[in-house]
Each structure stands twice: as C-alpha cells, then as structure tokens.
Amino acid sequence: AEQKYAGNQLAVFIKPVGLSDKEMQQIAHEINYAETTFVLSDKQSDGGYRVRIFTPAEEVPFAGHPTLGTAFVISQLMEKTEADTVKLNLNVGQIPVSIEGTNFWMRQINPSFGQQLSTEIMADVLGLSPKDFDDKFPIEAVSTGLPFYMVPLKNLAAVKKANVNRLKWLKIIAQYPQSAKMMLVFSPETYHANNDLNCRMFGEELGVIEDAATGSANGCLLAWLLKNNYFGKTVLDLRIEQGYEMNRPSLLFHKGKKINDQEFEINIGGQVQLVAEGKWY
C-alpha cells in the first residue's frame, strides 16, 4: 500500500498469551481479512520470530503480504531499532525480510512447478473466451510456499471480465487434489503506464474470494515469468498492480533472477502503512 486504505489489510497480534489453534482460527474468521498473523515469540536463538498465518478459513504455511506487514510491525513496534533485516519463522521455513527505506522485501523459497491446464478448461471456469488467453504461454501451477495457477491473459479487459464459476472450479480442484486451489490472472496491459503487469488473485477455497495484494502469488508469478521467458530476460525488476477492481489499489515490486532451470532468486517487495492499534479481548 502506498497510502492508508489501499493495498491489502492485515491484522497482527503481538505475543498473544494462551491462544489455542482453534481460537486463532476463530479470530482470523472474525476479523475476516485475507490474513491475520500471530507473532508468538521474542527473537529466538536462530534470529527469527515464530509467526503463524491464518486466512478466514484455515492456517497457511506462507503468505506474502502478511510476511511484509508482520515484519513491519516487528521492526517498528517490537524491536524499535534501525535493523535492516527481520527474519520470520513460518511453517514453510525461515523467510528473511530486508528493509530498504520505506520498502520491505522478502526472499521467497525456490519455486516448484506443477500441473498445467488447457485454455479451454480455464476459459470455462472464468467465463472467458479462449481468445482472451495468451496461448504462447502455459497456464501452470507454481509454488514458493503456497501454490497458485498462473493464468496469462491478453489484455486488461479480459482481466476485468474474469469471474470464477466456483462449482466448475471445484470440479477442477477435485481432479487435481495435490495441485493449486487458487489462481492469479494477469495481463501486460495496465491501468498505469509505469507498471509492467496488472493482476487479480482468486482464492475462495481459502476464504478469500479476491485478494487486493498477494505477495505469495506474485512470487509464483515472478518465478513463472522467468521460467517461461515472458519478458525475454533472465533478470527482472518489475512493478505489478493489483486490487483495482476491489477499489484497493496495490503496488508490488519484483526483483528476480533465473540462475538455471531449477534455481531462481525470488524477491517480492512493497510498502506498509500502519492504520490502527488496539486490544483484543
């Protein structure tokens, strides 16, 4: 978020005492943001903070904007120092977050690539025509800790028109139960000329019908762009817009590198705004 009341919302609980798994899930459901995080420790011997992430429906091993937002809270409200790195011990492993001025950057784990779907299947799910898809590139599942299907579309009109038919999508998920449940649709046509891609994320199966800014999905997107040579480069530095259809404009930064066919450097960044503090009873 470049300003308050934009970007993606996040609630961060600092060292809650005695909450059970069930109670953390109930709180996340009650708040009903895309994610709620719980910072469960002071800095540990390995230099990280134990953090758990919950959507309104379930706990997830990794999520992007909660990682950046929680690192902001730790650095600004807990540590209150000028440290340039905060490490979060998530269920997926330790994720380092670097601080560069007002920007927070997370280094995501090496991506894995999985199931591919046809344009005909995804067109039926999204209420689009096969002609709306950029068929030079695959619709492919990617994970950097949380899996998403990457869905390349030709233009902004197609992105805006996309609408998930949940019953049809549930059938696809049932066919490939070990693959992704969520998707990111994107196009090279943007609202603002200085941005490189526009995207939308749909994740109703995790309790998020649409997300305003999705760091985990953008990490997958960056990996996909590098793997599939989308921009014709092995090193990328991009600006990605998201959330405009939700009236919560968001800006995410990509910095990545393809080292070889199996190794990638994936860094996703953005700004964080503090909106409110309070107590939960």
Side-chain angles (χ1 to χ4, degrees), residues 67-68 70-77 79-88 96-107 268-272:
T67 298
L68 298 182
T70 303
F72 173 90
V73 169
I74 290 170
S75 67
Q76 300 295 313
L77 302 182
E79 289 190 346
K80 299 180 181 179
T81 67
E82 299 299 321
D84 58 6
T85 303
V86 175
K87 295 179 180 178
L88 275 58
V97 178
S98 60
I99 305 166
E100 300 177 3
T102 59
N103 293 332
F104 283 69
W105 287 91
M106 61 186 152
R107 177 72 177 269
I268 301 297
Q271 296 182 13
V272 183

Side-chain angles (χ1 to χ4, degrees), residues 212-224:
T214 319
S216 51
N218 270 270
C220 296
L221 173 60
L222 176 53
W224 183 96

Side-chain angles (χ1 to χ4, degrees), residues 154-157 159-160 186-199 230-231 239-242 244-245 251:
K154 288 181 178 177
N155 51 47
L156 189 57
V159 173
K160 292 168 69 174
F186 62 93
S187 86
E189 188 176 359
T190 58
Y191 285 94
H192 298 287
N194 58 339
N195 295 334
D196 298 288
L197 295 171
N198 174 276
C199 67
Y230 188 86
F231 286 105
R239 294 164 55 95
I240 310 298
E241 61 184 33
Q242 189 180 339
Y244 283 76
E245 286 70 31
L251 180 64

Side-chain angles (χ1 to χ4, degrees), residues 166-230:
R166 186 164 183 261
L167 292 179
K168 291 180 179 180
W169 184 233
L170 285 173
K171 291 181 180 178
I172 302 302
I173 292 174
Q175 288 181 38
Y176 307 104
Q178 303 304 313
S179 192
K181 297 180 181 179
M182 301 178 288
M183 69 179 79
L184 188 82
V185 303
F186 62 93
S187 86
E189 188 176 359
T190 58
Y191 285 94
H192 298 287
N194 58 339
N195 295 334
D196 298 288
L197 295 171
N198 174 276
C199 67
R200 297 175 71 186
M201 192 287 275
F202 302 111
E204 188 171 359
E205 298 318 302
L206 287 185
V208 183
I209 295 174
E210 183 170 354
D211 205 27
T214 319
S216 51
N218 270 270
C220 296
L221 173 60
L222 176 53
W224 183 96
L225 295 169
L226 289 164
K227 172 182 179 285
N228 291 290
N229 203 30
Y230 188 86

Side-chain angles (χ1 to χ4, degrees), residues 4-223:
K4 291 182 179 180
Y5 315 120
N8 207 346
Q9 300 151 306
L10 175 69
V12 181
F13 285 78
I14 299 174
K15 293 189 290 184
V17 177
L19 288 180
S20 67
D21 294 359
K22 179 180 179 181
E23 287 170 325
M24 285 188 276
Q25 184 62 72
Q26 287 175 323
I27 289 170
H29 183 266
E30 180 72 14
I31 291 172
N32 204 36
Y33 288 169
E35 281 96 5
T36 298
T37 64
F38 299 85
V39 184
L40 300 178
S41 70
D42 290 321
K43 190 170 285 189
Q44 298 177 351
S45 59
D46 60 0
Y49 288 83
R50 174 63 176 135
V51 176
R52 295 175 67 179
I53 305 173
F54 290 79
T55 75
E58 63 184 71
E59 185 175 11
V60 292
F62 172 71
H65 94 271
T67 298
L68 298 182
T70 303
F72 173 90
V73 169
I74 290 170
S75 67
Q76 300 295 313
L77 302 182
M78 293 178 65
E79 289 190 346
K80 299 180 181 179
T81 67
E82 299 299 321
D84 58 6
T85 303
V86 175
K87 295 179 180 178
L88 275 58
N89 295 333
L90 307 178
N91 287 354
V92 76
Q94 188 173 90
I95 301 294
V97 178
S98 60
I99 305 166
E100 300 177 3
T102 59
N103 293 332
F104 283 69
W105 287 91
M106 61 186 152
R107 177 72 177 269
Q108 297 188 11
I109 65 174
N110 199 55
S112 59
F113 302 90
Q115 182 68 43
Q116 295 188 3
L117 298 177
S118 70
T119 55
E120 289 76 17
I121 287 175
M122 195 58 77
D124 189 43
V125 167
L126 291 172
L128 298 174
S129 163
K131 295 180 180 179
D132 290 320
F133 293 77
D134 189 343
D135 59 8
K136 297 190 298 295
F137 301 99
I139 298 169
E140 185 173 23
V142 187
S143 177
T144 60
L146 195 63
F148 298 83
Y149 281 104
M150 298 294 106
V151 185
L153 301 176
K154 288 181 178 177
N155 51 47
L156 189 57
V159 173
K160 292 168 69 174
K161 187 169 60 174
N163 185 30
V164 177
N165 183 309
R166 186 164 183 261
L167 292 179
K168 291 180 179 180
W169 184 233
L170 285 173
K171 291 181 180 178
I172 302 302
I173 292 174
Q175 288 181 38
Y176 307 104
Q178 303 304 313
S179 192
K181 297 180 181 179
M182 301 178 288
M183 69 179 79
L184 188 82
V185 303
F186 62 93
S187 86
E189 188 176 359
T190 58
Y191 285 94
H192 298 287
N194 58 339
N195 295 334
D196 298 288
L197 295 171
N198 174 276
C199 67
R200 297 175 71 186
M201 192 287 275
F202 302 111
E204 188 171 359
E205 298 318 302
L206 287 185
V208 183
I209 295 174
E210 183 170 354
D211 205 27
T214 319
S216 51
N218 270 270
C220 296
L221 173 60
L222 176 53

